[in-house]
Amino acid sequence: MKFETPAGANPIDRGKVVGRPLDRIDGKLKTTGTAPYAYERHDVIPNQAYGHVVGAAIAKGRIVAIDLAEAKAAPGVLAIVTAGNAGKLGKGQMNTARLIAGPEVEHYHQAVALVVAETFEQARAAAHLVRVDYARTKGAFDLAAAKDAATMPKGDEDSLVGDFAGAFAAAPVQLDAEYRTPDESHAMMEPHASIAAWEGDRLTLWTSNQMINWGKGDVARNLGIAPENVRLDSPYIGGGFGGKLFVRADAVLAALGAKAAGRPVKVALARPMMANNTTHRPATIQRIRIGATKDGRITAIGHESWSGDLPGGGPETAVQQTRLLYAGANRMTRLRLAVLDLPEANAMRAPGEAPGLMALEVAIDEMAEKLGMDPIEFRILNDTQVDPEKPERPFSQRQLVACLRQGAERFGWSRRNATPGAVRDGRWLVGMGVAAGFRNNLLQKSAARVRLETDGRVTVETDMTDIGTGTYTIIAQTAAEMMGVDIGRVVVKLGDSDFPVSAGSGGQWGANNATAGVYAACVKLREAVAQKLGFNADADFADGRVTSGNRSVPLADAARDGPIAAEDLIEYGDLHRKYQQSTFASHFVEVGVDRFTGETRVRRMLAVCAAGRILNPKSARSQVIGAMTMGVGAALMEELAVDKRFGFFVNHDLAGYEVPVHADIPHQEVIFLDEVDPISSPMKAKGVGELGLCGVGAAIANAIYNATGVRVRDYPVTLDKLI
Ligand code: MOS
């Protein structure tokens, strides 16, 4: 189905099931620990052996020799895979560095060997007996030092509108400030893990992956086999945050290990491997310049961001939101990419906007202060309803102003004292901060198959994934609404590459696009059912019945002679060119900062989101509060510490890489504006999974400034920077 805009009235608008705060249909499995994750799939195939990954002990150089003799002789060892004995290996489209090192080593903990043994303990013990001699070469590990040699990344041209330099120089009120965000780790609960088994030429991987079809293609590329011979199955995923958008070493090494050992092999990346073996969000250095008239109109806005990656990698696109968020005739945004020999940089939840807004929305706060304006009023004055770089292109919907106004009212913004450091509560300095949230709504084609079973149940099959987001439930709600059945009558099967190719879970596009694909398939199924029952195409599907005029029969009657299946794909053509599609939020935070120790405690948080139809307010709220929690981490705690001599992330486990815990998050509230976007899809929905993070860090930094009068432009805002 090609989506035609604007979406007219359709069965989703009834809102009998869609839009309800229903419990997750997989909730019981999750909360009882019985949802099988990749490494736990003991029953899918017998005789699983264990693989343990050996990571490179240098950041850059060559493997001179590998001595496997001692490891091979260790108890229980079945096989050892290295680049030297694995045959010809390719590289995935999504991988910047190769997944298996040798002889070149491209980054620290790049996999150099997989030891396969009867038991996990035997594999791990033998892995320590693999002797690798390296020749280390010098690498670049320091973004600040590499920054001046950074270049414009391919495909990310500078964006220049009007005369930025001239307008900035002439502006009566100016801000020119530099902000820094650190390297961050996804740190999801479930590590990357895979079980591999071969049947002749055919490989099956039970794995943990957000994007099944990308993964299928890249496994084939890595192994040099045909994609038809690869099956990925990933029904339950213990978090991804972008770290599982791409196939990693666990999958490819499990496949090679299974081939070498002649039996199924399971591999999980040990937690201390994950920071350096997989991807991370790269650090940024950002310079923002804003010029405005005395009455607060932005006349010039400039945002430059520097980040680093391995040769052939990409930038953190931290200037994206600055192209779209505020009006202003003269604009300059650009990305610069340095070559660094740290582990591979890549997408982490809201790549681009998350760190970009941590800089931009503090700059806006600083500018408001220079102008003597309330930061909310400054934002509202500079709102735009069209793409400020291409004024002929409207936003499909944009309710940033309503988010700010409603949030201010709800949070009690009028009680904020604009003078920094003026409010005390015992030993605590108390402050409030605000920031705008912005994240794009990306359109991706997505397919699904639906089947009316003989017992009247409806089965949905799609390779869409549920990374903890609630996909199972919103897909079930969509099919239930469309087919007019109770949600308990819908069976959802996800994550199998044998199913139709979906949008996958990435870029917060999963909810809108994957359900729209199910909608399209249901439209076809309704047609097939109506035809089978001799109804007109306009028959109504409700309460388990099909009704037209005064004739009404049970839906299940249509499948009496056998199941009826339908498959379809939602696609959008060039819709994304005609409209700018984005999601908006306001984030409000109150903090207390200890006057003596500099410790920051978040006291209250509020997010107001405008993101189209909210398919399930309960799972959407969970997405947003989870993202707000991640925003607290980004603002106050999270930082991969770089060893600039040897080129690796030092704090590579959950003891050293701090993320917020429950005790850090006392109070969160989420409000969804009542909106539908008929230009986003037949579902009229968007996504919130990344929006919830965008702007949070800046709101916290702004609240800390309001509490203390100390402006920290270097995240995380730890107590040493406040004292
Ligand atoms: Mo998201 S970083 O595209 O999983």
Side-chain angles (χ1 to χ4, degrees), residues 210 241-242 245 347-351 505-507 690:
Q210 297 174 222
F241 307 126
L245 288 166
M348 181 170 139
R349 199 174 198 170
S505 296
E690 297 184 332

Side-chain angles (χ1 to χ4, degrees), residues 188-245:
M188 72 294 274
M189 289 291 280
E190 183 205 19
H192 296 73
S194 302
I195 300 171
W198 292 88
E199 210 180 321
D201 289 343
R202 284 190 52 87
L203 169 68
T204 301
L205 280 164
W206 294 274
T207 189
S208 187
N209 191 288
Q210 297 174 222
M211 298 291 296
I212 298 302
N213 196 50
W214 292 4
K216 174 175 161 162
D218 268 2
V219 167
R221 283 181 199 98
N222 270 286
L223 296 173
I225 62 176
E228 306 84 77
N229 284 339
V230 179
R231 179 179 161 230
L232 259 62
D233 188 29
S234 186
Y236 297 103
I237 298 165
F241 307 126
K244 293 174 183 166
L245 288 166

Side-chain angles (χ1 to χ4, degrees), residues 52-73:
H52 198 77
V53 179
V54 179
I58 61 166
K60 192 179 183 188
R62 287 172 68 82
I63 296 171
V64 176
I66 303 188
D67 181 357
L68 301 177
E70 212 182 331
K72 271 187 180 156

